[in-house]
Each structure stands twice: as structure tokens, then as C-alpha cells.
Amino acid sequence: MKNSIKEIASKSIESFASNLKGSLVFPTDSNYDDTRKVYNAMINKRPGLFAMCKTVDDVISSVNFARENNLLVAIRGGGHNGAGLGLCDDGLVIDLSGIKFVEVDTSNNTVKVGGGNIWNEVDTATHEYGLAIPSGMISTTGVGGLTLGGGVGYLTRKYGLTIDNLLEADMVLADGSFVTVNATENTDLFWAIRGGGGNFGVVTSFTFQAHPVKTIMGGPTLWPIERVEEIMAWYDTFIQEVSEDLNGFIATMVIPESPFPEHLHNKKFCGIVWCYVGNPDKFDALFKAVLELNPVFAHVGEMPFPALQSMFDGLLPSGLQWYWRADFFNELGPEVRAEHLKYGSSIPTPLSQMHLYPLSGAASRVGAEETPWAYRDAKYAGVYIGVDSDPKNATKITDWCKAYQEALHPHSAGGAYSNFMMEEGQDRIKASYKHNYDRLARIKNSYDPDNLFRVNQNIIPKK
């Protein structure tokens, strides 16, 4: 059993506070309710204490305090995790939002980033130098959570997952020690954090390889939902064969009232959101095959890469109700496409949607054991997302997501991208790491045998 904050002597807490450059936030503080808010408003956890860290020493002190007092501990970076795993009830939250910096080295196009940064801050800094790091789809996402889970995004086909571009990390381990991990130092830990989540320590900085990306061709194309089977069958072939310079995720969605034209509002569509990073002179010829499908809406053009990365931030701000389910897929056959028509035609709320992210290209050329990400042979990472602003609709969006995923799971590859999972139990976690789970469990046992870092998609320590 973990102790409660209430059971800890006030002198111990006072001593802890006196060693911090940052601050502590208690349930009795006026800013407590704001502090405990995360991206998903469906999460309503009540931590016993927040440690608002500003330095690595603050993180070390916080880890030691949690371990010595047998506290449940959660690590919060950007607070975007769908399952709310950046919070815990009654325990200690180690908040990294005060540890932010972005250092761009143009001599080798590497970027060092703080554990508390969000991707928008990184994108803004790297864009000035005509560089980008493969990340996700929403720029308010935290760097830490997205990276440690894998990192699927617009640049996946061209430059791989975020973890494929991670060169080094600084970490605080469960015993309070501080280590650097990379291809030559602490190599077992370096392997484990590239997809194994926050199981192995608190990452206070990441160093990435960036790539020459500044202006891209991007934006959405839409077709009526009735055409989803046709478009999905075409897409399944096209996206696997087309140049890796072009990426595009396919979706079932409802078009919101802004910023789209009025005649599209509140109607259901099959959409593809594109990102092309190649020679602009070759784009029209390559994209001709898309336009020949006669989309009812095509808003694809030249834009700064950060504009695409943040395109949906305004539609999906913090504070909405969210529920997620996910699967990997190897094929989009007739039975799969029929289910997408069925559930895409019954989307329950305007912001709810389904996405399939392609995993071909650079991401597929990394070996299935080179990182914990075991599904290098999967074609797509699929996610079903229930979203709404009204808590009264929480059950409606949850039930739709579950039904959508349960209908398609028999056709899936078995596991799911961990960043798209709720708290779904050990069987789901093991399925998502497949043959890599046992190695992760042994590394976990070496560095965190008591499972201090357990508020995550947890890997149980094993000798």
C-alpha cells in the first residue's frame, strides 16, 4: 500500500519544500484546481501534492521524497495524455512544466529540449533555422509524453517516428541518480525509453536530430462519408506506393462550423490531411491522382510547417471531454472499410473522429527489436477519438469509441500505439509491445524494481 500525503509529517514536507527552486501546490491552495487540470477534462484526479519543478535538482528531490515516503507518483510534462496518466489520486505529481528550453545547434542540426516543453515551442524555434523534428499532429502536445511513447506524425514516412530521431536524453532514475543515455552510454535505458513510456525514469531533457523542413504543401481534402469505402481502398494502395515525401492520414469526421465553408458544416466526411515535404515543382503531378477523385473540398497549399502542426489546435483546445481507443492495422480490406462506413456514418458529436496514420516509409525500415516499438511491419496506427465539450456527452462518446474499436479489433494486428491508449490493463500493454515486453520488464527491474514509476502504461518489473 502507498502512503497518503496526509500521513507524512509536516516537517518532512517543509524540508522538501525548502530544497526546491520551484514550489509546492497543496489541495488547500487557491490555485490547486487550476493546477490539476489536464488536456482531457474527463480526468478528475485529485493529487495530494504537486511539485512544480524548475531544475533537475528539483526533480531529484521530488523523486527521493516520493520514494522515501512510499508515495504514489505521477510525472506530468504537457498533460496531454488521454488516460490522465500525468496525474494520480492522493500522491505526488512531479510537474516538469517549469523545465523548458530549446537549444538548436546548426552545426549538426541537433536540438536539445527541456522535459517540460510542448511541441509548439520546439516547432517555433526550429522553424527559424528551416528545421523540424518529427512529432505529432497537435502542437500543444508535450514533448516528453509523445516521444517516450513513440511519436507518430506528419513526417513519419519521410523521417521516421520521433524515437527514431532521439539521440540522447538526461534522466532522473528511481534511486534519485542522474544519468545520460544514448547509443554509447546506458544503452539498455536508451533502448527502453524509445517507446517504453515513462516507466524508467523522469526525462529532464531530450536531444533530437532535426531535418531540413520549412515550407510544406499541406491541408485537407474531403469526400462525403458515403464514399469512405472507395476512398479508403484507393488510399490503402496509394499511400504505400507514393513517394515518401508525401504523407497523409485518413479520417472519418464531422466538419465543424469554423473555419470550414458553411455548406460543409455538421456533415460527415471521409477526409485526408496531407503533408508534402519534397520538391514543390513535383507536387502537382504527384497530387493529380488525389484531385481525380473529385473531393468536395480541397484546401491544400504552401504553408510553414508549424502552421500545419498547429492547424487543429484551435478546434481541439484543452478542457474538452476525450475518450480514446486504438489498434494497429496491416490491411484495410472490405470488412474493415465497411465498419468505417458504419461508424463513420454515426459519429456522435461534431469533434469525434477516427484517424489512420500511415507507418510506411522510414518508420517501417527500423527493425522490430531496435526499439520497443514492436509493430514496424504494421501499415497503420488507428485511433478512435470521442470528443465533446459537454460532460453530459461523456458516455455517448465513450460508447461510440468502444463499439468502433471492438468492431474493428478482430481485423487488427493485435496491439496499439501506447499514446492512444486509455487504462486498459496488462494484456493490452503486453500486446502492444509483443516480443519486446520481456526485455522491457527486465530493464525495468534493473532500474525501478519497486515500480516507483507506475502511473503509466505500466511495465511490471521482472527478473
Side-chain angles (χ1 to χ4, degrees), residues 131-410:
L131 299 172
I133 300 165
S135 57
M137 306 284 179
I138 301 289
S139 76
T140 55
T141 305
V143 170
L146 182 126
T147 301
L148 296 174
V152 178
Y154 289 111
L155 301 179
T156 294
R157 297 191 72 234
K158 182 66 175 180
Y159 295 120
L161 305 174
T162 307
I163 53 174
D164 301 333
N165 297 275
L166 180 64
L167 302 175
E168 186 172 279
D170 292 329
M171 301 176 61
V172 177
L173 305 182
D175 64 1
S177 60
F178 177 76
V179 298
T180 297
V181 303
N182 52 42
T184 59
E185 300 175 82
N186 300 299
T187 55
D188 53 349
L189 268 177
F190 184 54
W191 180 85
I193 66 167
R194 287 178 291 157
N199 276 280
F200 305 96
V202 185
V203 180
T204 56
S205 77
F206 299 85
T207 301
F208 298 100
Q209 183 67 59
H211 300 276
V213 177
K214 191 169 180 71
T215 300
I216 58 94
M217 302 293 288
T221 50
L222 300 175
W223 296 266
I225 194 65
E226 292 79 12
R227 294 185 65 189
V228 66
E229 292 172 288
E230 170 201 354
I231 300 302
M232 194 169 281
W234 166 85
Y235 169 86
D236 192 22
T237 299
F238 177 77
I239 201 65
Q240 303 300 325
E241 297 177 351
V242 74
S243 165
E244 293 171 15
D245 288 338
L246 183 66
N247 200 339
F249 71 87
I250 190 166
T252 56
M253 61 179 72
V254 178
I255 296 304
E257 294 185 0
S258 176
F260 292 89
E262 186 175 355
H263 71 278
L264 303 176
H265 292 175
N266 300 312
K267 295 179 181 177
K268 299 177 178 69
F269 290 92
C270 168
I272 305 176
V273 182
W274 303 98
C275 176
Y276 175 74
V277 296
N279 183 341
D281 294 338
K282 297 182 179 181
F283 178 73
D284 287 347
L286 183 149
F287 206 65
K288 182 180 178 183
V290 180
L291 299 180
E292 286 175 346
L293 291 166
N294 297 315
V296 296
F297 179 79
H299 189 71
V300 179
E302 188 174 7
M303 66 179 74
F305 180 67
L308 180 64
Q309 282 282 90
S310 60
M311 181 176 285
F312 301 108
D313 290 5
L315 291 174
L316 300 168
S318 181
L320 301 176
Q321 304 283 308
W322 285 77
Y323 190 85
W324 306 64
R325 280 293 180 96
D327 279 310
F328 287 116
F329 289 91
N330 292 327
E331 55 85 24
L332 302 179
E335 292 177 324
V336 170
R337 300 194 298 267
E339 295 293 354
H340 283 299
L341 174 62
K342 176 182 176 181
Y343 286 94
S345 300
S346 60
I347 296 173
T349 60
L351 293 175
S352 297
Q353 51 205 278
M354 182 285 305
H355 297 173
L356 286 167
Y357 299 103
L359 300 173
S360 53
S364 68
R365 290 194 291 274
V366 178
E369 296 179 359
E370 289 184 49
T371 69
W373 182 287
Y375 285 84
R376 294 291 182 165
D377 58 343
K379 286 186 177 181
Y380 306 100
V383 62
Y384 320 91
I385 316 164
V387 190
D388 196 64
S389 59
D390 191 344
K392 293 179 181 177
N393 287 328
T395 299
K396 180 191 293 186
I397 61 176
T398 298
D399 289 349
W400 176 78
C401 284
K402 288 181 176 179
Y404 206 154
Q405 192 261 342
E406 288 166 6
L408 280 165
H409 183 67

Side-chain angles (χ1 to χ4, degrees), residues 4-23:
S4 166
I5 292 288
K6 298 173 185 176
E7 298 174 289
I8 299 173
S10 58
K11 286 186 178 180
S12 294
I13 296 176
E14 289 170 8
S15 176
F16 174 39
S18 69
N19 288 322
L20 295 179
K21 295 285 195 304
S23 60

